[in-house]
Amino acid sequence: MDDVRDALYALAVGTLDYINESDDTKYGPIAREEKEFIDLVKNGNYDDVLDADLQEEKYAEIKKQGDKRILIFDTDNIPEVVLQNHSETFQALHKRCNGFAIEHRRGIARVMNEDKGLVDEVFRLWEDRIPSHYLPVLEEALILRALELEENLHQQTVYQWRREISDNYANNGRDPNEAQNLISLCSTGYLDEGNVFDNMYTDMVENGTRSKDEFKDVFSKYVDQNPFAVFVRSRGRSTDKICGDLRDKLDVIHEWEESPGFVELCGKGENTHNTIIEVRNEIESDFDGKMRTRRNPGIDQIIVMFEPFVT
């Protein structure tokens, strides 16, 4: 726990230093909350830490939850420049605590979504290429993927986060299934530079004669109907239903505008692997095309590509 306390202490001191440097009153009342933040972290009696919402301008407080005393701190109230200056410390803290309990993720986003790292790189690639209503989903999906790669997030945590993203999307009057599809496409890397959608944009717009608006229309159709990927969950559809979905997509994949020419079967987590192998073996018996299997060990993922011959 000492290294956790040290990491939080660095954030608390950084916050006080920033306030003192940016305000003329220096040692006046404006520094009171910052000093209390330092004192709580350094001298407080707590058993665990939690990143959660507190009232505005309050950095931390200790609350009792069951038999434990929890230091709650709110990254939304810590100045962004402090989080950036201590981003390595903050991320190390998060990893050390096995992803300390996070009830909201905006603070994580501010740490990870600057002009460095894969989150920002991919987001910047797409922020003017796709319809704007997808951007909040994409940002959250990228942050979720980054944390999955850094830490062994429990699948229940992943599912809960995905549900929150799609619920927010639905609250804006849109189809939550679109959000779920976009999260899955992002998680598998299809929006990364040099992957499916980036290649599609290059062919259509940069090297072709299509406009950005035309690409946005095609992209929306892909997100809505998800024609080239079948995602397997640890608890979900039967093998027969997954086989049926895969066959249906294989039958029409070449009819899609700007088709990638393949359908992939994707699953994360050990509980999906047997299902994927069963589906692969079932499809292989009468599949007319190329088939390749690859693994992404960082997130315990198996992907089987089915590339049907053009008839």
Side-chain angles (χ1 to χ4, degrees), residues 158-169:
V158 176
Y159 293 154
Q160 178 182 347
W161 194 337
R162 289 177 62 113
R163 186 168 56 249
E164 289 175 7
I165 297 170
S166 62
D167 285 348
N168 289 336
Y169 191 72

Side-chain angles (χ1 to χ4, degrees), residues 6-49:
D6 289 345
L8 281 172
Y9 183 73
L11 284 180
V13 171
T15 301
L16 177 60
D17 289 344
Y18 173 77
I19 294 297
N20 282 340
E21 290 172 3
S22 60
D23 192 90
D24 292 336
T25 59
K26 295 236 174 179
Y27 304 105
I30 194 168
R32 184 180 301 126
E33 289 290 349
E34 289 75 25
K35 290 176 180 176
E36 289 179 1
F37 185 18
I38 291 174
D39 186 58
L40 275 179
V41 171
K42 184 177 181 180
N43 302 314
N45 177 21
Y46 50 91
D47 307 298
D48 206 348
V49 296

Side-chain angles (χ1 to χ4, degrees), residues 137-164:
V137 177
L138 176 61
E139 182 182 39
E140 288 271 10
L142 288 167
I143 294 164
L144 173 57
R145 183 177 68 157
L147 289 177
E148 281 192 276
L149 289 170
E150 283 291 322
E151 304 157 21
N152 185 25
L153 293 183
H154 192 281
Q155 281 301 300
Q156 189 59 41
T157 299
V158 176
Y159 293 154
Q160 178 182 347
W161 194 337
R162 289 177 62 113
R163 186 168 56 249
E164 289 175 7

Side-chain angles (χ1 to χ4, degrees), residues 57-58 70 74 89 131 169-170 311:
E57 296 184 0
K58 192 172 186 64
I70 309 296
D74 189 344
T89 300
Y169 191 72
T311 57

